[in-house]
Amino acid sequence: MTDGLPDSLIPYDEIVQEVLRGVVGRVLGQVADAGGLPGDHHFYITFRTQAPGVDIPQRLVERFPDEMTIVLQNRYWDLVVDPQRFSVGLSFNQVPSKLVVPYSAITGFHDPAVNFELRFPAEDAAEELVEIHEEARNDGPVAQPVEDGSNVVSVDFKRKK
């Protein structure tokens, strides 16, 4: 006899993660189609800088070797969204940069205007310790997120081994 539930032969956790990452793509697509953010909405997007498909300037990879957070609020341009990734122009220390980020690299998405948040486990670092890094701030004003816990969605599936 075994304690607990048997391992699933259906990868529910992977399916749910893929669908939730699709929420990020859909929201960014609506913003791109509208030509800008509605109302007070703005986004903090955290992603793994060395994940497959990420294309960012080398100076940013050197500064943020594991993970970085970008802010889409006032100063961004050329937001292009497709089913697998998004690209956007941002300025870091007055230097314009183009970033390409696949949804699979995203570890967090937060809209402080409505305190909506999604968190994703790093796909290749389930048991790894993540090194603390400084938060990346692209140029422009940044609002402080509200930390009351409402509208936070966190999905963390653990697999039995």
Side-chain angles (χ1 to χ4, degrees):
M1 274 173 84
T2 61
D3 293 354
L5 299 173
D7 287 338
S8 175
L9 299 177
I10 299 172
Y12 289 111
D13 54 342
E14 293 171 18
I15 295 168
V16 170
Q17 293 297 321
E18 183 179 329
V19 169
L20 289 175
R21 282 188 168 96
V23 170
V24 175
R26 185 169 174 183
V27 168
L28 291 176
Q30 289 178 352
V31 169
D33 290 345
L37 291 156
D40 292 329
H41 290 278
H42 57 288
F43 310 133
Y44 291 83
I45 302 172
T46 303
F47 63 94
R48 293 177 295 124
T49 56
Q50 296 193 43
V54 170
D55 185 9
I56 63 175
Q58 186 59 35
R59 64 185 160 65
L60 294 177
V61 174
E62 291 168 3
R63 188 169 170 199
F64 306 101
D66 298 316
E67 193 172 66
M68 74 182 290
T69 301
I70 59 173
V71 181
L72 297 188
Q73 187 172 17
N74 297 320
R75 298 173 132 190
Y76 70 91
W77 58 91
D78 295 335
L79 177 61
V80 177
V81 178
D82 72 37
Q84 302 300 317
R85 71 194 57 79
F86 73 94
S87 65
V88 66
L90 293 169
S91 181
F92 297 89
N93 296 324
Q94 308 301 317
V95 179
S97 305
K98 179 182 178 183
L99 289 76
V100 177
V101 180
Y103 304 122
S104 60
I106 295 174
T107 60
F109 176 84
H110 185 201
D111 182 349
V114 294
N115 202 29
F116 177 79
E117 184 171 4
L118 294 171
R119 294 271 176 212
F120 306 102
E123 290 178 356
D124 60 353
E127 301 292 327
E128 284 182 21
L129 293 176
V130 176
E131 181 180 321
I132 296 175
H133 61 86
E134 64 178 297
E135 186 169 308
R137 292 291 183 173
N138 42 292
D139 298 341
V142 177
Q144 295 299 317
V146 178
E147 297 295 334
D148 69 356
S150 63
N151 292 328
V152 175
V153 177
S154 179
V155 179
D156 187 18
F157 294 101
K158 304 279 190 216
R159 284 188 199 214
K160 287 179 67 177
K161 298 195 179 204

